């Protein structure tokens, strides 16, 4: 089973984190995110420890802080939403620098920012140390429904193909003097989107027929089976287990 070329997030390396089997890393990150989401929002110190844990993992994986911070920009829309909560959520009010803010809104904003940022950071570290093809193999190893794995595989493989098709269509429009400058050009763009959909659908039909003619029966062959030793599982479990201990302490205090 293949998944095309490496994605932009991946950083080639030979660190212990890179060497872990993909299904171990997937299980560790998923468990870590569950623990973070279960942590009470008022345990501020716990979120600080989670950030330290992720920083340690990033250091072991040799991922620079600058790279990690740049990739965290993807959560900017959620940050903008969270920053509005102190102004729109009803409840007890508190004055900060002359501005009246909602206390429940402040806690809600903190909850979203802290948990969202930690979740995104964990995902970035996972993607930076694991190739896409390996991630798909890991999902298959974790018994994710094969159909979902195949859909993800085809999406990754042909995403660049469709993007390149869009680029060629855009070049063709510009070469004929077309520039989208207002609402009156939306009709042309809508027709282009329709043409792209038809081309993609027809390409999918051709690919499916080609696969069937080569013996495809609904499942993709796995060429290299990925296994994990007990030591590797233990190493991967260090992050979520430590985070779970912090979470339990947060609930008891």
């Amino acid at each position: 089973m293949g998944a095309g070329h490496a994605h932009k997030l991946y950083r080639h390396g030979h660190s212990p984190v890179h060497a872990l089997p993909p299904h171990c890393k997937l299980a560790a990150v998923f468990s870590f995110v569950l623990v973070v989401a279960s942590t009470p929002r008022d345990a501020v110190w716990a979120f600080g420890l989670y950030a330290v844990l992720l920083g340690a993992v990033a250091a072991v994986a040799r991922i620079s802080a600058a790279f990690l911070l740049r990739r965290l920009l993807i959560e900017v829309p959620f940050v903008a939403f969270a920053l509005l909560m102190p102004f729109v959520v009803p409840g007890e009010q508190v004055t900060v620098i002359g501005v009246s803010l909602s206390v429940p809104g402040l806690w809600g904003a903190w909850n979203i920012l802290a948990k969202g940022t930690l979740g995104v950071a964990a995902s970035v570290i996972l993607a930076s140390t694991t190739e896409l093809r390996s991630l798909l193999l890991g999902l298959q190893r974790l018994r994710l429904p094969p159909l979902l794995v195949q859909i993800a595989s085809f999406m990754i493989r042909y995403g660049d193909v469709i993007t390149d098709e869009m680029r060629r269509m855009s070049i063709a429009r510009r070469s004929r003097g077309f520039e989208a400058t207002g609402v009156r050009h939306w009709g042309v763009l809508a027709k282009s989107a329709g043409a792209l959909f038809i081309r993609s659908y027809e390409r999918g039909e051709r690919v499916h027929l080609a696969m069937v003619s080569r013996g495809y029966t609904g499942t993709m062959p796995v060429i290299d089976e990925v296994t994990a030793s007990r030591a590797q599982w233990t190493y991967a479990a260090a992050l979520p287990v430590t985070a779970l201990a912090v979470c339990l302490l947060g609930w008891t205090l």
Side-chain angles (χ1 to χ4, degrees):
M1 179 177 62
H5 26 272
H7 55 84
K8 296 179 180 179
L9 275 178
Y10 179 69
R11 287 293 179 269
H12 180 73
H14 301 284
S15 71
V17 180
H18 284 80
L20 281 176
H23 51 288
C24 293
K25 288 185 278 188
L26 283 166
V29 170
F30 179 74
S31 301
F32 174 79
V33 172
L34 282 181
V35 171
V36 170
S38 304
T39 304
R41 65 185 184 183
D42 54 343
V44 178
W45 58 271
F47 296 104
L49 290 179
Y50 294 152
V52 171
L53 287 174
L54 286 181
V57 174
V60 173
R62 300 184 181 91
I63 299 174
S64 67
F67 173 82
L68 189 59
L69 291 174
R70 284 198 305 271
R71 295 305 178 182
L72 286 177
L73 292 177
I74 194 174
E75 67 166 345
V76 167
F78 300 97
V79 172
F81 170 76
L83 293 178
L84 291 176
M85 294 185 67
F87 299 97
V88 299
V89 175
E92 180 185 352
Q93 300 290 312
V94 63
T95 302
V96 179
I97 318 179
V99 180
S100 181
L101 302 175
S102 165
V103 174
L106 287 171
W107 277 116
W110 160 253
N111 195 45
I112 292 176
L113 289 175
K115 296 181 179 181
T117 300
L118 290 169
V120 173
S123 301
V124 169
I125 293 174
L126 173 65
S128 301
T129 57
T130 316
E131 292 182 338
L132 274 176
R133 178 176 178 276
S134 297
L135 283 175
L136 294 173
L137 290 173
L139 291 173
Q140 185 167 317
R141 183 72 178 175
L142 292 174
R143 300 294 186 269
L144 194 75
L147 183 59
L148 294 181
V149 177
Q150 291 181 51
I151 291 174
S153 175
F154 290 131
M155 179 185 68
I156 293 169
R157 178 180 292 275
Y158 291 102
D160 290 340
V161 176
I162 296 175
T163 301
D164 190 57
E165 188 77 24
M166 291 176 57
R167 183 183 60 81
R168 289 197 298 269
M169 293 174 69
S170 176
I171 292 174
R173 289 195 302 268
R174 290 199 302 270
S175 67
R176 290 163 176 79
F178 174 81
E179 288 291 341
T181 56
V183 178
R184 60 193 181 92
H185 292 130
W186 285 6
V188 177
L189 298 178
K191 292 177 182 177
S192 299
L196 179 63
F197 173 80
I198 293 174
R199 292 183 185 183
S200 302
Y201 180 82
E202 291 177 343
R203 183 190 298 273
E205 288 295 309
R206 292 195 301 270
V207 171
H208 179 259
L209 290 175
M211 292 171 61
V212 171
S213 68
R214 289 163 174 79
Y216 175 72
T217 58
T219 57
M220 298 292 286
V222 178
I223 300 175
D224 47 347
E225 186 71 17
V226 181
T227 59
S229 65
R230 181 176 300 179
Q232 289 173 320
W233 274 112
T234 303
Y235 188 83
L239 174 65
V241 169
T242 306
L244 179 60
V246 173
C247 178
L248 293 176
L249 186 60
W251 279 106
T252 56
L253 294 180

